[in-house]
Amino acid sequence: MNILVDLFVTFAKVGVMTFGGGYAMLPILQREVVDNKGWATEEELMDYFAIGQCTPGIIAVNTATFIGQKCRGTIGGILATLGVVFPSLIIISLLAGVITAFSHLAWVRHAFGGIRICVCVLILNAVVKLYKKAVVDKATLAIFVVVALGSYFSALSPVVFVLLAAAMGIALQVRR
């Protein structure tokens, strides 16, 4: 029973500390799930994160569900998921009532401008960490370049790039 409570509390802590969405939470997830709790390895977390990105839903919720499921089955997945969304639910409920009343104030607009920049930096930090773990040789660098350029210069769905990258990864593994 303690692990179930620990799953909820840990993911609630991750949820309350995460500003900027799923990508920005990667360093916090790594610290809590890999370093502090040992519920997953860095590679497993990267895999969960990648799968969470490729499946419908919010990355943070999907990743929490995967880790909770791994630790304690379905109930673990449910409690980890509830834990990660609970803080947002409370915070958004509180803010929803007052945000429109103050959104016209200059200091509020400037604060949101600063927050947007901070979120960009948090996402960039997550991208750099993901890059260091994912791009390990010339073949993975080639996949990275193809997907990066393709997604930047075309309007194709991200699903196409995920499928393309998966096919390229399989082809490279078969070739080896």
Side-chain angles (χ1 to χ4, degrees), residues 136-157:
V136 295
D137 56 19
K138 289 180 182 177
T140 53
L141 178 61
I143 294 171
F144 176 84
V145 169
V146 167
V147 172
L149 292 174
S151 65
Y152 185 78
F153 290 110
S154 77
L156 290 174
S157 167

Side-chain angles (χ1 to χ4, degrees), residues 3-4 13 17-19 23 28 54 58-60 68 71 73 76 87 90 92 97 100 113 115 120 128 135 143 149:
I3 184 78
L4 295 174
K13 186 168 36 169
M17 297 302 295
T18 302
F19 296 91
Y23 295 112
I28 298 168
C54 298
I58 301 167
I59 299 170
C71 291
I90 299 301
I92 289 169
T100 54
I115 290 170
C120 289
V128 169
V135 178
I143 294 171
L149 292 174

